[in-house]
Amino acid sequence: MRERGGERHWSVFAATGAAIIAVCYGFARYAYGLFEPTFREVFSLSGAGLGLLGGLATTGYALGLLLGPVVSGRSPRGTVLASGALAAGGVATVAVAQRVPVLAVGAVLAASSAGLASTGVAQLISRRVAGAGHRSAQTWANTGTSFGLVLSALTPLISVSWRWSWASFAVIAALATAVTWLVLPARRDAGQHEPEGFAVSAGGGRGPAWRDADVRRLVASSLVLGATSAPYWNFSQGRLVEAGLAGVPAAVCWCVIGVAGPLGGLTGRLTEAAGPRRAAVILWLPWSLSLALPALPGPVLSVALVSAALFGAAYMGLSGLFILWAVDLFPRASQGVTVSFLALAAGQAAAAPVAGLLGDRVGLGPVFGLAAVGGLAGLVLLPRHRREPGLTSAPLPSSRAW
């Protein structure tokens, strides 16, 4: 689909970005949690061991995020393609793993692809999509995770072995990468659209970003989201097993996370209509509720389904909000996304082993209760709806002040 002058419509970049995000996040990054009960049994892992493995995978994700700005600044398209190829290789390694060290290597490689994908897709859209479609392209591409989660949940439902499931993930990742290579030709990679939406001082710069209160709020919010999401991504399936909802019901709940996730694609419009502070409140409250419901004694299937739907929509919405927030604060989209998602990864890496250890000792119900209380901390870290005195702005078209 093209617009006048031969420029591709923003939906093309949203769709291809969503496809890569789907395989890098829905498969390579988060499918580990779907198969947590299987890995526990096959590899004789305790909750603490599963949490440690999840933390190692998150470390790989962080490494991808750190490398992302370097390579995406040179070639956003190349970075996106590399992330898809890395996802395919990582999940293929998991599929053939016979020992825990090989499983860990595969998980780390797979998760690192998601870090590259986040920065690569954000930078690609910032370079090639201008005008009113920019925010929509960013937030809709981010919802690709949801489609990957839905696809990953289908494999337990059709009763194939977990190894064949992961092998199919590798094939789909390779196909998505090939399609992206065909749809986004290299000759357009050096597009003319540089990232916008950051405030600059009258003197031509805004100083070290780490001294800016808005950046500190973004980092703190990302840490909270990462830490409170870790129990759900790693142990929600285990919690359902505890409640007697193993097998098909558990897979359906995972699928619902993905089905509800595209609602997060409306974050751009929500921010435009309500402003960033109200949008943040609207998202943080259902987020905390999604974590509180699994903490109920013996959650029934209906409660689990509501929790999954709230979790999927709120997680996609909050991560999309952070992308918009980061793009507005930093001179390069990949820099801002890296800062936010690196903080999110740090929260997940630190919280996953702790959640596993606590789950072994007191059960997973109390772990989710603590996560729900922690989620409310996001309400005190809302973005400030104002401009700094003495600053001029170069906002995205139709954007509001943060």
Side-chain angles (χ1 to χ4, degrees):
M1 185 175 183
R2 293 177 182 272
E3 292 186 333
R4 287 174 296 183
E7 292 289 334
R8 292 186 182 273
H9 191 267
W10 66 264
S11 61
V12 175
F13 297 96
T16 52
I20 292 297
I21 293 293
V23 298
C24 291
Y25 277 88
F27 297 166
R29 177 83 175 98
Y30 291 131
Y32 171 80
L34 173 62
F35 290 85
E36 176 260 320
T38 301
F39 292 154
R40 181 190 292 266
E41 179 181 353
V42 172
F43 294 97
S44 301
L45 290 167
S46 65
L50 287 164
L52 179 60
L53 194 58
L56 286 174
T58 303
T59 301
Y61 172 61
L63 291 175
L65 284 171
L66 289 172
L67 181 62
V70 178
V71 294
S72 65
R74 298 178 180 178
S75 175
R77 175 181 178 272
T79 303
V80 170
L81 294 175
S83 65
L86 193 57
V91 296
T93 302
V94 172
V96 301
Q98 299 292 332
R99 297 172 180 266
V100 173
V102 178
L103 177 67
V105 169
V108 170
L109 287 176
S112 66
S113 73
L116 282 179
S118 289
T119 51
V121 169
Q123 188 70 24
L124 183 70
I125 291 174
S126 287
R127 282 196 182 185
R128 297 197 186 182
V129 180
H134 183 275
R135 286 181 179 271
S136 294
Q138 291 284 15
T139 53
W140 278 111
N142 184 59
T143 63
T145 300
S146 300
F147 300 104
L149 292 174
V150 171
L151 287 174
S152 67
L154 293 178
T155 53
L157 294 177
I158 59 178
S159 299
V160 298
S161 73
W162 74 269
R163 294 189 185 278
W164 280 110
S165 295
W166 282 76
S168 68
F169 296 163
V171 172
I172 295 172
L175 289 174
T177 305
V179 169
T180 301
W181 178 72
L182 292 172
V183 171
L184 300 180
R187 65 178 178 273
R188 299 296 305 163
D189 196 45
Q192 71 272 29
H193 307 305
E194 286 302 317
E196 299 170 322
F198 57 100
V200 293
S201 68
R206 65 181 294 170
W210 291 104
R211 297 179 186 174
D212 190 283
D214 292 318
V215 176
R216 291 197 296 271
R217 286 172 180 267
L218 172 63
V219 170
S221 296
S222 301
L223 280 168
V224 170
L225 182 62
T228 56
S229 67
Y232 214 107
W233 285 125
N234 290 281
F235 299 109
S236 61
Q237 294 290 293
R239 176 58 178 149
L240 294 176
V241 170
E242 284 184 353
L245 298 173
V248 172
V252 170
C253 288
W254 193 266
C255 186
V256 168
I257 295 175
V259 170
L263 291 173
L266 300 174
T267 300
R269 292 188 178 275
L270 176 63
T271 303
E272 293 292 336
R277 289 181 64 84
R278 289 192 184 94
V281 171
I282 290 170
L283 293 169
W284 276 115
L285 289 176
W287 171 254
S288 297
L289 180 58
S290 76
L291 302 174
L293 291 177
L296 297 175
V300 296
L301 180 59
S302 59
V303 171
L305 290 172
V306 171
S307 171
L310 290 174
F311 180 87
Y315 187 84
M316 292 302 110
L318 284 169
S319 57
L321 180 70
F322 294 168
I323 288 174
L324 297 180
W325 194 358
V327 168
D328 276 351
L329 286 174
F330 286 80
R332 281 176 53 193
S334 60
Q335 291 174 337
V337 172
T338 295
V339 168
S340 176
F341 280 28
L342 192 59
L344 190 153
Q348 289 180 334
V354 175
L357 182 61
L358 287 176
D360 285 341
R361 296 191 175 185
V362 301
L364 290 172
V367 171
F368 280 94
L370 289 173
V373 173
L376 294 174
L379 294 173
V380 303
L381 299 168
L382 301 178
R384 296 179 298 177
H385 191 86
R386 64 166 178 79
R387 291 288 184 193
E388 292 285 346
L391 295 181
T392 60
S393 66
L396 288 164
S398 302
S399 69
R400 293 179 182 267
W402 290 84

